[in-house]
Amino acid sequence: TVVWLNSESELRYPTSFAGESREVFLKGEGYFSVAHDEQHPFIVVSSDIYTKVYGTEFNVRSYEEEDVHVTLVQGRVSVKKTEDGSEYTLNPGENARFVESVPEITKVNVNRYIAWKDGYFYFDNVTLKDIMQNLGRWYNVNIEFRNKEAMTYKMHFISDRTKDLEHTISLLNRMKKVTVTLQGNTLTID
């Protein structure tokens, strides 16, 4: 089993797995490629969401407790809210977003959820506020919106995460919707 962790993420696991399951705890975002083991199911616990894995590749994003996403790339997983909740099975190309205890399950372009693992920012019809939160997390900078209306602008934006912050700022400014500047450790959006 291999796990990739995104920025500001943490994975807790025992030094060796004992018992009937292999349970890990995630804060933030992780991409999992899990080896199949029927005798010892792999379980990812994140913000009270339990993802049971049957040998597969999937992404879990839970930076905020009220916005947890489980995206299945291949294989099979089931998801549930709390340990005793009802299980919902995902098919490849589906995303489960929990609202209360029942997930909203939708077909998605998985690249939107996993491009970070391959070194890219990929946002499709996403608010500038969400884009900037991700950039702030990756580049470890603060975000200040002077133009509050710009927070709700929806955009399509792709950038190489291996490039420096100045490259990403120039791409944002090239769209001519806002002006993004770096002042010290703060990105300002006008």
Side-chain angles (χ1 to χ4, degrees), residues 56-67:
T56 188
E57 292 195 20
F58 65 100
N59 193 74
V60 176
R61 184 179 75 209
S62 70
Y63 286 108
E64 301 169 22
E65 282 192 35
E66 64 279 352
D67 193 27

Side-chain angles (χ1 to χ4, degrees), residues 31-147:
Y31 183 91
F32 296 81
S33 179
V34 178
H36 182 68
D37 181 350
E38 248 179 70
Q39 305 304 316
H40 304 94
F42 192 86
I43 299 170
V44 178
V45 181
S46 190
S47 298
D48 289 333
I49 305 298
Y50 288 73
T51 304
K52 189 174 183 181
V53 182
Y54 302 96
T56 188
E57 292 195 20
F58 65 100
N59 193 74
V60 176
R61 184 179 75 209
S62 70
Y63 286 108
E64 301 169 22
E65 282 192 35
E66 64 279 352
D67 193 27
V68 177
H69 291 262
V70 178
T71 309
L72 182 60
V73 177
Q74 66 182 26
R76 189 169 64 112
V77 299
S78 65
V79 293
K80 62 183 177 177
K81 175 97 172 159
T82 72
E83 197 166 6
D84 301 325
S86 299
E87 283 191 21
Y88 300 87
T89 301
L90 296 182
N91 295 308
E94 289 183 336
N95 178 72
R97 178 177 178 258
F98 277 84
V99 178
E100 301 299 323
S101 60
V102 179
E104 292 176 352
I105 298 175
T106 55
K107 276 293 230 189
V108 295
N109 175 352
V110 295
N111 288 324
R112 174 181 173 196
Y113 296 91
I114 68 168
W116 68 268
K117 177 186 78 73
D118 297 322
Y120 293 94
F121 294 109
Y122 181 96
F123 303 101
D124 189 21
N125 199 29
V126 174
T127 65
L128 185 58
K129 177 183 176 192
D130 289 339
I131 292 170
M132 297 311 290
Q133 282 178 328
N134 278 275
L135 296 177
R137 189 179 300 124
W138 179 252
Y139 291 111
N140 195 27
V141 293
N142 300 313
I143 306 299
E144 179 185 336
F145 276 90
R146 290 187 186 153
N147 177 354

